[in-house]
Amino acid sequence: MIGSWAAKAMLSFIVFEWVVQLGWKGNGTYSYASNYVSDLGAVHCDDIGNPARYVCSPSFAAMDLALIFIGVNVVVAACLITSPVLWIAAHAGDLDDAYKALRRDKTDGKIRMQPTGFAKATTTIIRWSLAVTGLAIFAIGVFPEDYPNAGHTIGIHDPAVVILSLGIFVTLVSIGVLWFRRTDASLGFSDWPSSLAYRDC
């Protein structure tokens, strides 16, 4: 239950980003295409980066607190997510078979899902990469892009952004590998012939 709500809390990022950008006072309007999310958390109104760009986010505290909140929830979700959860998500057919067996009174009344060693190992990678991702998001909130002073962008913030990107990449690839083995796969969100889908027989 706690892990589920922690995972859902991550969606609050969309709301916070939209609300905070309404108060944007930097050059022009805030652009999702040309501005960094970190610009919304910058403490000072000043030129930042090279080439310099003027950033000014009066509601920076809300954005930074949101990032801290989301980072904590990502870590909590990483600690509580289990192999069976990811296993069932990728093996809906197995879960359906288990329910059918239960209805046929061929079990002792309990549904048992047994993740393979591969699933357990992949889940471990996912949990660690999620935890690292959460810590990076937390660090980005605690140390804004202009920390400790305006115009200074080399510090904890920049490595945290790199770690965040790597963490997200590893997590998504790991989930994709886990699910691809038993779930009809589509690449580029385009339907592929079912004959190309990988399945365990």
Side-chain angles (χ1 to χ4, degrees):
M1 177 69 77
I2 296 176
S4 174
W5 281 108
K8 293 172 184 175
M10 293 182 240
L11 297 175
S12 64
F13 169 79
I14 300 173
V15 176
F16 277 104
E17 182 183 16
W18 181 78
V19 171
V20 173
Q21 65 86 25
L22 292 177
W24 176 253
K25 301 297 182 183
N27 285 340
T29 58
Y30 178 81
S31 171
Y32 290 98
S34 59
N35 283 101
Y36 300 112
V37 174
S38 298
D39 291 346
L40 295 177
V43 176
H44 306 88
C45 291
D46 206 337
D47 291 327
I48 290 179
N50 186 20
R53 64 187 187 283
Y54 183 73
V55 300
C56 187
S57 179
S59 302
F60 68 88
M63 193 71 243
D64 291 333
L65 288 174
L67 290 171
I68 293 171
F69 170 75
I70 293 168
V72 169
N73 278 281
V74 172
V75 172
V76 170
C79 292
L80 297 180
I81 196 169
T82 61
S83 297
V85 169
L86 291 174
W87 176 260
I88 290 173
H91 298 73
D94 289 356
L95 182 60
D96 185 56
D97 291 341
Y99 273 116
K100 288 178 180 177
L102 178 64
R103 289 195 295 268
R104 291 195 301 268
D105 295 326
K106 292 189 176 182
T107 68
D108 58 1
K110 297 180 181 180
I111 296 177
R112 290 186 170 83
M113 300 293 294
Q114 296 296 329
T116 63
F118 173 81
K120 291 178 180 179
T122 307
T123 300
T124 298
I125 295 173
I126 292 171
R127 293 178 70 175
W128 276 104
S129 59
L130 270 179
V132 170
T133 299
L135 291 174
I137 296 173
F138 180 86
I140 291 171
V142 173
F143 303 100
E145 66 179 356
D146 58 345
Y147 176 89
N149 58 276
H152 178 69
T153 58
I154 300 176
I156 296 177
H157 181 88
D158 290 341
V161 172
V162 174
I163 293 172
L164 169 64
S165 301
L166 291 175
I168 292 174
F169 176 78
V170 172
T171 300
L172 292 178
V173 169
S174 299
I175 291 175
V177 169
L178 176 63
W179 290 0
F180 191 74
R181 298 189 67 189
R182 292 295 300 273
T183 307
D184 288 343
S186 59
L187 299 178
F189 300 100
S190 299
D191 291 334
W192 283 58
S194 58
S195 60
L196 297 180
Y198 288 88
R199 290 182 185 277
D200 291 337
C201 298

Short mmCIF file of all heavy atoms in Angstrom, two decimals, residues 12 123 171:
data_model
loop_
_atom_site.label_atom_id
_atom_site.label_comp_id
_atom_site.label_asym_id
_atom_site.label_seq_id
_atom_site.Cartn_x
_atom_site.Cartn_y
_atom_site.Cartn_z
N SER A 12 2.89 13.79 -9.15
CA SER A 12 2.68 15.17 -8.70
C SER A 12 3.68 16.12 -9.36
O SER A 12 3.46 17.33 -9.39
CB SER A 12 2.82 15.26 -7.18
OG SER A 12 4.13 14.93 -6.77
N THR A 123 14.90 -7.49 -10.97
CA THR A 123 14.23 -6.64 -9.98
C THR A 123 15.24 -5.96 -9.06
O THR A 123 15.07 -4.80 -8.70
CB THR A 123 13.24 -7.47 -9.14
OG1 THR A 123 12.26 -8.05 -9.99
CG2 THR A 123 12.55 -6.59 -8.11
N THR A 171 16.81 1.89 -15.34
CA THR A 171 15.51 1.39 -14.86
C THR A 171 14.61 1.00 -16.02
O THR A 171 14.03 -0.10 -16.04
CB THR A 171 14.81 2.45 -14.00
OG1 THR A 171 15.63 2.77 -12.86
CG2 THR A 171 13.46 1.94 -13.51
#
